[in-house]
Amino acid sequence: IQDAIRAGKSIVELAESSGSSLSFIERFAHPVIEELGHMIDLAKSIRIEMPADRFNEVTKKTFAEIVEGKLHSVGAKSILWSAKRGDNSVWEISVGFETNGNAGGATWTFDPRNYLLTPETGSAQSLSNPAAVFDTPVPVKLAQPEHPVETVVTEDKLQAFRKRREESAPLVEMAPEPEPVLEIIEPVAQ
């Protein structure tokens, strides 16, 4: 039961697949659920050094501040952290989120002994890079103008544009380029 919970199965899934009662499964699942919560908290609390720039000194932020800050900056909602331990005893920390009606997620492997998080997905790579402020793993819906601009170019519009361009005076008068001067240098006698 505990290995299945660590691998990401829910209590309800285990009860249904084994035919056992929920209360029986919960007795064994409780310590593992606490362990998963501890792994999430430990990973989220890892401090990452933010590079200095000409306006700021080197600072440190938690992994959670960086990831959740980026997600909030693009309007992500329903941010949910989870943890599981795979067959090879490697911990995985994941964050799920929703933005613009689309579900997204990012996964890192986690070595709790060395406090090391390694991005396993492109979204995780983008979210965990403190220097990539505007890099986002989620699609951002751009604001649409109130009055859409007509983008169809017809032959008469093209002719009108060409006519306006020909009639307009150049912004800067250019002086004619001087003629190149060819200078012949004779060798000096020794």
Coordinates of all heavy atoms in Angstrom, one line a residue, residues 45-77:
S45 N 11.4 24.7 -0.4 CA 12.2 25.6 0.4 C 13.6 25.7 0.0 O 14.4 26.5 0.6 CB 12.1 25.1 1.9 OG 12.9 23.9 2.0
I46 N 14.1 25.0 -1.0 CA 15.5 25.1 -1.4 C 15.7 26.6 -1.9 O 14.9 27.1 -2.7 CB 15.8 24.1 -2.6 CG1 15.8 22.7 -2.0 CG2 17.1 24.5 -3.2 CD1 16.0 21.6 -3.0
R47 N 16.8 27.2 -1.4 CA 17.1 28.6 -1.7 C 18.0 28.6 -3.0 O 19.0 27.9 -3.0 CB 17.7 29.3 -0.5 CG 16.8 29.2 0.7 CD 17.1 30.1 1.8 NE 17.1 31.5 1.5 CZ 16.1 32.3 1.4 NH1 14.9 31.8 1.4 NH2 16.3 33.6 1.2
I48 N 17.6 29.5 -3.9 CA 18.3 29.6 -5.1 C 18.9 31.1 -5.2 O 18.2 32.0 -4.9 CB 17.4 29.4 -6.3 CG1 16.9 27.9 -6.3 CG2 18.1 29.6 -7.7 CD1 15.9 27.6 -7.2
E49 N 20.2 31.2 -5.6 CA 20.8 32.5 -5.7 C 20.4 33.1 -7.0 O 20.5 32.6 -8.0 CB 22.3 32.3 -5.6 CG 23.1 33.6 -5.5 CD 24.5 33.3 -5.2 OE1 24.9 33.1 -4.1 OE2 25.3 33.4 -6.2
M50 N 19.9 34.3 -6.8 CA 19.5 35.2 -7.9 C 20.6 36.0 -8.4 O 21.3 36.7 -7.5 CB 18.3 36.1 -7.6 CG 17.1 35.3 -7.0 SD 16.3 34.2 -8.2 CE 15.6 35.4 -9.3
P51 N 21.0 36.0 -9.7 CA 22.1 36.8 -10.1 C 22.0 38.3 -9.9 O 20.9 38.8 -10.0 CB 22.3 36.4 -11.6 CG 20.9 35.9 -12.0 CD 20.3 35.4 -10.7
A52 N 23.1 38.9 -9.6 CA 23.1 40.4 -9.5 C 23.0 41.0 -10.8 O 23.4 40.5 -11.9 CB 24.3 40.8 -8.8
D53 N 22.5 42.2 -10.8 CA 22.5 43.1 -12.0 C 22.9 44.5 -11.6 O 23.3 44.7 -10.4 CB 21.2 43.1 -12.8 CG 20.0 43.5 -12.0 OD1 20.2 44.3 -11.0 OD2 18.9 43.2 -12.3
R54 N 22.9 45.4 -12.5 CA 23.3 46.8 -12.1 C 22.4 47.5 -11.1 O 22.8 48.5 -10.5 CB 23.6 47.6 -13.3 CG 22.3 47.9 -14.1 CD 22.7 48.7 -15.3 NE 21.5 49.2 -16.0 CZ 21.4 49.9 -17.1 NH1 22.5 50.2 -17.6 NH2 20.3 50.2 -17.6
F55 N 21.2 46.9 -10.9 CA 20.3 47.6 -10.0 C 20.2 46.8 -8.7 O 19.7 47.3 -7.6 CB 18.9 47.7 -10.6 CG 18.9 48.5 -11.9 CD1 18.7 47.9 -13.1 CD2 19.2 49.9 -11.8 CE1 18.7 48.7 -14.2 CE2 19.2 50.6 -13.0 CZ 19.0 50.0 -14.2
N56 N 20.5 45.5 -8.7 CA 20.2 44.7 -7.5 C 21.5 43.9 -7.2 O 22.2 43.4 -8.0 CB 19.1 43.7 -7.8 CG 17.8 44.4 -8.1 OD1 17.3 45.2 -7.4 ND2 17.2 44.1 -9.3
E57 N 21.6 43.6 -5.9 CA 22.7 42.8 -5.4 C 22.2 41.3 -5.5 O 21.1 41.0 -5.7 CB 23.0 43.1 -3.9 CG 23.6 44.5 -3.8 CD 24.0 44.8 -2.3 OE1 24.1 43.8 -1.5 OE2 24.2 46.0 -2.0
V58 N 23.2 40.4 -5.3 CA 22.8 39.0 -5.3 C 21.8 38.7 -4.1 O 22.0 39.2 -3.0 CB 24.1 38.1 -5.1 CG1 23.7 36.7 -4.9 CG2 25.0 38.3 -6.2
T59 N 20.7 38.1 -4.4 CA 19.7 37.7 -3.4 C 19.4 36.2 -3.5 O 19.8 35.6 -4.5 CB 18.4 38.5 -3.6 OG1 17.9 38.2 -4.9 CG2 18.6 40.0 -3.5
K60 N 18.7 35.7 -2.6 CA 18.3 34.3 -2.6 C 16.8 34.3 -2.5 O 16.2 35.0 -1.7 CB 18.9 33.5 -1.5 CG 20.4 33.3 -1.7 CD 21.0 32.4 -0.7 CE 22.5 32.2 -1.1 NZ 23.1 31.1 -0.3
K61 N 16.2 33.4 -3.3 CA 14.7 33.2 -3.2 C 14.5 31.7 -3.1 O 15.4 30.9 -3.5 CB 14.1 33.7 -4.5 CG 13.9 35.2 -4.6 CD 13.1 35.5 -5.8 CE 12.8 37.0 -5.9 NZ 11.9 37.4 -7.0
T62 N 13.4 31.3 -2.6 CA 13.1 29.9 -2.5 C 12.6 29.4 -3.9 O 12.2 30.2 -4.7 CB 12.0 29.5 -1.5 OG1 10.8 30.1 -1.9 CG2 12.4 30.0 -0.1
F63 N 12.8 28.1 -4.1 CA 12.4 27.5 -5.4 C 10.9 27.8 -5.6 O 10.5 28.1 -6.7 CB 12.6 26.0 -5.3 CG 12.2 25.2 -6.5 CD1 12.8 25.4 -7.7 CD2 11.2 24.3 -6.3 CE1 12.3 24.6 -8.8 CE2 10.7 23.5 -7.4 CZ 11.3 23.7 -8.6
A64 N 10.1 27.7 -4.5 CA 8.6 27.9 -4.7 C 8.4 29.4 -5.1 O 7.5 29.7 -5.9 CB 7.9 27.6 -3.4
E65 N 9.1 30.4 -4.5 CA 8.9 31.8 -4.9 C 9.2 32.0 -6.4 O 8.4 32.7 -7.0 CB 9.8 32.7 -4.0 CG 9.4 32.8 -2.6 CD 10.5 33.6 -1.8 OE1 11.7 33.4 -2.0 OE2 10.0 34.3 -0.9
I66 N 10.2 31.4 -6.9 CA 10.6 31.5 -8.3 C 9.5 30.9 -9.2 O 8.9 31.6 -10.1 CB 11.9 30.9 -8.6 CG1 13.0 31.8 -7.9 CG2 12.2 30.9 -10.1 CD1 14.4 31.1 -7.9
V67 N 9.2 29.7 -8.9 CA 8.2 28.9 -9.8 C 6.8 29.6 -9.7 O 6.2 29.9 -10.7 CB 8.2 27.4 -9.4 CG1 7.0 26.7 -10.1 CG2 9.5 26.8 -9.8
E68 N 6.3 29.7 -8.5 CA 5.0 30.3 -8.3 C 4.9 31.7 -8.8 O 3.9 32.2 -9.3 CB 4.5 30.1 -6.9 CG 4.3 28.7 -6.5 CD 3.9 28.5 -5.0 OE1 3.9 29.5 -4.2 OE2 3.7 27.3 -4.6
G69 N 6.0 32.5 -8.6 CA 6.0 33.9 -9.1 C 5.8 33.9 -10.6 O 5.1 34.7 -11.2
K70 N 6.6 33.0 -11.3 CA 6.4 33.0 -12.8 C 5.0 32.5 -13.2 O 4.5 33.1 -14.1 CB 7.5 32.1 -13.4 CG 8.9 32.7 -13.4 CD 9.8 31.8 -14.1 CE 11.2 32.4 -14.2 NZ 12.1 31.7 -15.0
L71 N 4.5 31.6 -12.5 CA 3.2 31.1 -12.8 C 2.1 32.2 -12.6 O 1.2 32.4 -13.4 CB 2.8 29.8 -12.1 CG 3.6 28.6 -12.5 CD1 3.3 27.4 -11.5 CD2 3.2 28.2 -13.9
H72 N 2.2 32.9 -11.5 CA 1.3 34.0 -11.2 C 1.4 35.1 -12.2 O 0.4 35.7 -12.6 CB 1.4 34.5 -9.8 CG 0.9 33.5 -8.7 ND1 -0.4 33.1 -8.6 CD2 1.6 32.9 -7.7 CE1 -0.5 32.3 -7.6 NE2 0.7 32.2 -7.0
S73 N 2.6 35.3 -12.7 CA 2.8 36.4 -13.6 C 2.2 36.2 -15.0 O 1.9 37.1 -15.7 CB 4.3 36.7 -13.9 OG 4.9 35.7 -14.6
V74 N 1.9 35.0 -15.3 CA 1.1 34.7 -16.6 C -0.3 34.3 -16.3 O -1.0 33.8 -17.2 CB 1.9 33.6 -17.4 CG1 3.2 34.0 -17.9 CG2 1.9 32.3 -16.6
G75 N -0.8 34.5 -15.1 CA -2.2 34.3 -14.7 C -2.6 32.9 -14.5 O -3.7 32.5 -14.6
A76 N -1.6 32.0 -14.1 CA -1.9 30.6 -13.8 C -2.8 30.5 -12.6 O -2.6 31.3 -11.6 CB -0.6 29.8 -13.6
K77 N -3.7 29.6 -12.6 CA -4.6 29.3 -11.5 C -4.5 27.8 -11.1 O -3.9 27.1 -11.9 CB -6.0 29.7 -11.8 CG -6.2 31.1 -12.1 CD -7.7 31.4 -12.4 CE -8.1 32.8 -12.7 NZ -7.2 33.9 -12.8

